[in-house]
């Protein structure tokens, strides 16, 4: 039997106490580390998907640059998205329909396919792929800005957004390119007879060809990139576009010195995102992108309408100051143009959808 002295006994007890304390300390440290890992995991799972899960850059398509209200809307949206998502979503605007080789009628298809992530697009340019968007190009449907608002801010606008949502995009807000006015290098247009024989550039939409033909003009379909050179060389006599486009593009410098304000159609814009891109974001970032679109749209519409009212005609005055003769048609003077295009309206009402057009007509009447 081994006998322990008091000193040896005390030494052993001391050693055991140190050993137990060390084990407890290691256990505590291990437990704390495990808790720390769990906390980090919890925080990480709660944070929206970060840059590693998102694209480094998202592409936004517009037909024109930031000097135009339309392009301003795209640029502003990109700025607001970056700001509201704290830089997680970085958007770069590509004006001039550069992502589709300058052919704006291909923009919607590219957007659906995913080669474009964002777009501020024209209802006219997208109408070949979405026939219901031809609604806004029915001749003389909308007589004023309140009529546009009655459609885009009402049930018609909601119906069209629901439709677009089935076509691989997420529509977020309505913008505005404006009422399209007609200009030419030859003479003032006051009656349909004044259009006879004039070669007028129009967008690539069959409805515009039908309308201009019914009015006696000679429609020439071409992209906006080709339109200005064509006017400069007199390959075409005229064009039709909102005044914001006319002024910013300085069309008076390419012989467009006769301008008629007839408001025959308007061109709302739509802020959209590719649906797969939309689904890749966190819910918080989706909210931020939607809010950014809505804010940019309000600012863009205000810019598109600036200087075009009886209270503020500054944009029209600026155009006149550049040597352009401006003719403003009265409601009575518009009647012969409406009469000349009534068969076109009836034909395209069936194409667009009679129920949708009837709803639009009722909304405008009730405005």
């Amino acid at each position: 039997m081994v006998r322990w002295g008091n000193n040896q006994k005390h030494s052993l007890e001391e050693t055991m106490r140190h050993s137990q304390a060390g084990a407890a300390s290691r256990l505590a440290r291990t437990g704390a580390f495990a808790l720390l890992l769990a906390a980090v995991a919890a925080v990480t799972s709660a944070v929206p998907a970060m840059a590693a899960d998102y694209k480094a850059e998202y592409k936004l398509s517009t037909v024109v640059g930031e000097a135009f209200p339309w392009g301003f809307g795209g640029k502003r949206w990109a700025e607001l998205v970056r700001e509201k998502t704290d830089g997680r979503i970085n958007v770069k605007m590509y004006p001039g329909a550069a992502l589709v080789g300058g052919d704006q009628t291909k923009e919607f298809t590219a957007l659906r396919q995913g080669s474009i992530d964002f777009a501020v697009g024209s209802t006219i340019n997208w109408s070949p792929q979405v026939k219901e968007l031809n609604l806004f190009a029915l001749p003389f449907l909308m007589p004023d800005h309140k009529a546009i608002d009655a459609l885009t801010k009402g049930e018609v606008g909601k119906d069209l957004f629901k439709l677009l949502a089935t076509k691989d995009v997420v529509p977020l807000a309505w913008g505005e390119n404006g009422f399209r006015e007609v200009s030419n290098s030859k003479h003032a247009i006051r009656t349909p007879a004044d259009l006879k024989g004039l070669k007028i550039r129009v967008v690539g939409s069959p409805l515009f060809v039908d309308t201009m033909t019914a009015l006696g003009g000679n429609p020439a379909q071409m992209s906006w990139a080709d339109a200005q050179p064509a006017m400069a060389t007199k390959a075409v006599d005229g064009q039709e576009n909102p005044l914001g486009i006319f002024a910013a593009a300085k069309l008076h410098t390419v012989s467009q010195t006769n301008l008629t304000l007839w408001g025959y159609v308007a061109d709302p814009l739509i802020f959209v995102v590719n649906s797969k891109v939309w689904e890749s974001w966190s819910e918080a970032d989706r909210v931020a992108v939607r809010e950014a679109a809505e804010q940019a749209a309000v600012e863009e519409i205000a810019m598109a309408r600036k200087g075009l009212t009886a209270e503020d005609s500054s944009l029209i005055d600026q155009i006149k100051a550049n040597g352009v003769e401006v003719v403003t048609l009265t409601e009575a003077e518009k009647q012969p143009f409406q009469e000349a295009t009534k068969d076109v309206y009836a034909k395209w009402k069936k194409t667009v959808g009679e129920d949708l057009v009837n709803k639009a007509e009722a909304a405008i009447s009730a405005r």
Side-chain angles (χ1 to χ4, degrees), residues 145-335:
H145 287 123
K146 288 183 179 179
I148 300 175
D149 292 342
L151 301 187
T152 59
K153 295 181 180 181
E155 291 304 313
V156 169
K158 292 177 183 177
D159 288 348
L160 289 171
F161 270 21
K162 288 177 184 176
L163 174 66
L164 286 169
T166 67
K167 298 183 182 296
D168 308 312
V169 302
V170 179
L172 300 175
W174 288 100
E176 189 173 302
N177 195 20
F179 281 102
R180 300 178 76 87
E181 317 294 7
V182 64
S183 71
N184 75 97
S185 60
K186 300 289 188 181
H187 52 249
I189 296 172
R190 298 177 184 274
T191 70
D194 295 323
L195 273 163
K196 187 173 178 60
L198 291 182
K199 191 171 185 179
I200 306 293
R201 177 267 174 179
V202 296
V203 295
S205 163
L207 174 49
F208 280 74
V209 172
D210 286 354
T211 300
M212 195 57 64
T213 301
L215 290 168
N218 180 13
Q221 288 185 329
M222 62 181 68
S223 70
W224 181 241
D226 295 330
Q228 287 175 272
M231 285 182 272
T233 61
K234 303 290 183 70
V236 297
D237 301 311
Q239 60 86 53
E240 44 78 59
N241 253 310
L243 294 189
I245 299 285
F246 188 98
K250 297 179 171 55
L251 294 188
H252 66 280
T253 65
V254 288
S255 302
Q256 297 301 292
T257 54
N258 299 281
L259 175 64
T260 295
L261 308 186
W262 61 346
Y264 85 124
V265 300
D267 182 18
L269 305 174
I270 308 176
F271 290 65
V272 301
V273 177
N274 171 274
S275 59
K276 288 184 179 178
V277 169
W278 179 261
E279 290 163 6
S280 73
W281 298 329
S282 69
E283 182 59 30
D285 282 342
R286 291 178 195 169
V287 170
V289 172
R290 183 183 296 277
E291 290 177 349
E294 291 170 348
Q295 182 178 337
V298 168
E299 295 179 20
E300 190 277 333
I301 290 173
M303 186 177 181
R305 295 183 182 182
K306 183 176 174 58
L308 302 177
T309 64
E311 297 75 23
D312 173 19
S313 60
S314 55
L315 183 58
I316 297 172
D317 295 339
Q318 174 191 325
I319 291 170
K320 289 179 179 178
N322 289 325
V324 178
E325 180 185 353
V326 179
V327 173
T328 302
L329 298 183
T330 65
E331 290 306 311
E333 289 172 325
K334 291 178 185 178
Q335 286 299 318

Side-chain angles (χ1 to χ4, degrees), residues 32 43 101:
V43 170

